[in-house]
């Protein structure tokens, strides 16, 4: 039972007719690149988030990268974010020649510790990049206040927070722009790669559209600003359109699965997720914590239950980012969490029977520790 491999298969069986119809609709349209499905999805995804514009791109990494460039961030600039994230968040910063600057995380939610951001701002800081991790939002009000004070834009990383809300505001609507991934395991997942950047700024929207299409604007084959080939595929856009109508249903199912886990492990020494005040958690992953993490994972593997760790190696301690100069102990809360956190199977199509089996086996393992 590997959530990252098998999670979408029950969903596909249930939605197969609609998914195949989406594919057939595109193939019969004769419009395979930046056609009506992309246009419609962009319009509908923007409306869902209460923003004016959405630009579909080829993946979530480029959604961040193009978002940064559209905000004017470039070589030599600094972007404040966290190390407890998927590497693509930081790779997008590195790709434009900017420098990621890390702050530590909160020990309860594993989200950006906003209180540390002010101390990380320098004259080179050009953007704040909060990561709405695991399915819930960073504490945005003090971050927005800090951004306004220093004249800095906020780019939200919403790859793991489709539909999440913070004091009633939906993830993706609180920054100058926001980036999304539609990787198949996401709360709103495509059947391949995909991403989008949203904004309510006409200027940023225009920048994004230019950047995703080679840097071309009004005249084809004429590049006004060097850009990329970073377009959302028509097939994925049409599939995402269909699935967007079911996003709230997916969220409700994930919340139901999370509630069962919370009830099942109440009173044990397994630390279950903490939802920050004002947050509506959508549980992209269900991250728990235990000092005997590795023994637990190995014991469950013997029962054919595979668990993921998000994330076992903080970005700042990975060899590919050694040039940033962070040493062991630089981000103590992040590093401590990385040694103990892991994720229980979590997806909207997880059956009650499969979840009960996970719960029963894990209870037995915890009792033997």
């Amino acid at each position: 039972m590997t959530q990252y491999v098998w999670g979408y298969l029950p969903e596909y069986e249930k939605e197969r007719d609609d998914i195949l119809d989406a594919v057939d609709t595109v193939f019969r349209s004769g419009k395979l690149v930046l056609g009506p499905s992309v246009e419609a999805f962009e319009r509908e995804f923007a409306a869902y988030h209460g923003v004016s514009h959405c630009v579909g791109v080829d993946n979530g990494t480029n959604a961040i990268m193009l978002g940064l460039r559209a905000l004017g961030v470039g070589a030599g600039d600094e972007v404040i974010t966290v190390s407890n994230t998927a590497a693509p968040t930081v790779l997008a910063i590195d790709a434009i020649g900017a420098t990621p600057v890390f702050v530590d995380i909160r020990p309860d939610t594993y989200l950006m510790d906003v209180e540390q951001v002010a101390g990380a701002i320098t004259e080179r800081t050009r953007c704040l990049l909060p990561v709405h991790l695991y399915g819930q939002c960073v504490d945005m009000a003090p971050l927005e206040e800090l951004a306004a004070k220093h004249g800095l834009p906020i780019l939200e990383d919403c790859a793991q927070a489709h539909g999440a809300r913070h004091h009633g505001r939906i993830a993706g609507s609180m920054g100058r722009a926001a980036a999304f991934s539609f990787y198949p395991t996401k709360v709103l997942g495509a059947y391949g790669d995909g991403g989008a950047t949203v904004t309510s700024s006409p200027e940023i929207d225009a920048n994004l559209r230019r950047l995703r299409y080679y840097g071309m604007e009004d005249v084809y084959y004429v590049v006004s600003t060097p850009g990329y080939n970073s377009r959302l595929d028509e097939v994925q856009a049409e599939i995402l359109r269909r699935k967007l109508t079911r996003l709230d249903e997916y969220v409700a199912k994930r919340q139901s699965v999370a509630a069962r886990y919370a009830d099942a492990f109440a009173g044990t020494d397994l630390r279950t997720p903490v939802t920050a005040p004002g947050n509506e958690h959508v549980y992209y992953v269900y991250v728990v914590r235990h000092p005997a993490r590795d023994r637990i994972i190995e014991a469950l593997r013997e029962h054919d239950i595979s668990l993921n760790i998000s994330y076992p190696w903080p970005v700042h301690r990975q060899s590919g980012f050694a040039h940033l100069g962070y040493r062991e102990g630089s981000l103590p809360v992040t590093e401590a969490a990385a040694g103990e956190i892991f994720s229980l199977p979590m997806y909207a199509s997880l059956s009650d029977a499969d979840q009960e089996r996970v719960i029963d086996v894990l209870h037995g393992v915890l009792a033997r520790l």
Side-chain angles (χ1 to χ4, degrees):
M1 181 191 299
T2 306
Q3 60 173 323
Y4 295 95
V5 176
W6 300 110
Y8 81 93
L9 291 178
E11 174 191 281
Y12 177 67
E13 289 304 316
K14 179 180 179 182
E15 301 180 0
R16 182 175 182 273
D17 290 345
D18 194 32
I19 299 303
L20 294 182
D21 182 68
V23 175
D24 190 60
T25 295
V26 172
F27 286 173
R28 289 180 182 276
S29 74
K31 303 284 188 179
L32 301 182
V33 178
L34 291 185
S37 291
V38 168
E39 292 175 3
F41 174 70
E42 290 176 339
R43 184 169 58 250
E44 292 157 6
F45 196 69
Y48 182 88
H49 290 88
V51 298
S52 304
H53 309 284
C54 168
V55 179
V57 298
D58 53 346
N59 58 66
T61 308
N62 285 342
I64 297 173
M65 183 183 70
L66 269 62
L68 289 168
R69 281 204 59 189
L71 289 167
V73 182
D77 294 336
E78 292 179 349
V79 178
I80 298 176
T81 189
V82 291
S83 178
N84 183 41
T85 183
T89 303
V90 183
L91 288 168
I93 299 170
D94 185 74
I96 62 171
T99 301
V101 175
F102 300 121
V103 296
D104 217 337
I105 58 174
R106 292 180 53 86
D108 52 354
T109 61
Y110 316 121
L111 298 169
M112 172 184 276
D113 187 346
V114 176
E115 294 181 359
Q116 297 190 22
V117 174
I121 294 174
T122 72
E123 62 182 13
R124 293 173 55 198
T125 304
R126 294 294 178 270
C127 184
L128 307 182
L129 206 170
V131 181
H132 300 319
L133 199 66
Y134 303 150
Q136 67 171 325
C137 297
V138 170
D139 187 11
M140 291 298 292
L143 194 67
E144 290 172 282
E145 182 178 342
L146 193 62
K149 177 181 177 181
H150 292 272
L152 297 171
I154 293 175
L155 174 64
E156 300 173 71
D157 181 344
C158 301
Q160 301 187 8
H162 305 79
R165 284 174 167 78
H166 177 65
H167 294 288
R169 296 190 296 169
I170 193 166
S173 68
M174 296 176 279
R176 183 76 168 150
F180 291 83
S181 167
F182 304 123
Y183 187 76
T185 62
K186 303 300 185 183
V187 180
L188 179 62
Y191 279 72
D193 272 320
T197 309
V198 304
T199 183
S200 285
S201 164
E203 178 184 3
I204 294 172
D205 175 64
N207 288 343
L208 288 166
R209 293 185 185 281
R210 188 164 47 243
L211 288 167
R212 77 162 174 191
Y213 197 59
Y214 306 111
M216 297 177 185
E217 195 165 8
D218 297 327
V219 181
Y220 190 54
Y221 295 128
V222 177
V223 173
S224 58
T225 301
Y228 312 88
N229 178 4
S230 184
R231 302 168 297 210
L232 178 63
D233 183 82
E234 274 288 290
V235 171
Q236 300 302 339
E238 185 61 31
I239 291 172
L240 288 165
R241 286 191 67 200
R242 313 289 182 96
K243 295 187 68 177
L244 180 60
T245 66
R246 299 187 284 270
L247 176 54
D248 291 343
E249 176 185 338
Y250 299 150
V251 168
K253 289 183 177 178
R254 286 173 177 268
Q255 290 171 336
S256 178
V257 171
R260 288 197 295 271
Y261 277 140
D263 289 342
F265 295 110
T268 71
D269 59 352
L270 186 73
R271 190 186 304 181
T272 53
V274 173
T275 300
N279 273 354
E280 182 178 333
H281 205 313
V282 298
Y283 298 100
Y284 166 60
V285 284
Y286 191 85
V287 175
V288 297
R289 185 169 183 171
H290 196 284
R293 186 264 310 278
D294 295 343
R295 290 165 57 194
I296 292 171
I297 289 177
E298 183 59 33
L300 266 68
R301 186 177 294 118
E302 294 174 1
H303 292 268
D304 196 30
I305 299 173
S306 297
L307 305 180
N308 190 59
I309 304 173
S310 300
Y311 299 93
W313 302 285
V315 172
H316 74 284
R317 298 299 298 147
Q318 296 178 24
S319 60
F321 298 100
H323 62 284
L324 297 177
Y326 287 86
R327 300 181 181 277
E328 184 175 356
S330 299
L331 302 170
V333 181
T334 296
E335 293 168 24
E340 297 184 350
I341 57 176
F342 60 106
S343 304
L344 302 186
M346 167 59 73
Y347 40 92
S349 56
L350 181 65
S351 69
D352 291 350
D354 281 344
Q355 186 178 11
E356 284 302 319
R357 180 168 177 267
V358 172
I359 290 170
D360 290 344
V361 171
L362 182 50
H363 262 295
V365 171
L366 291 172
R368 294 193 297 273
L369 291 176

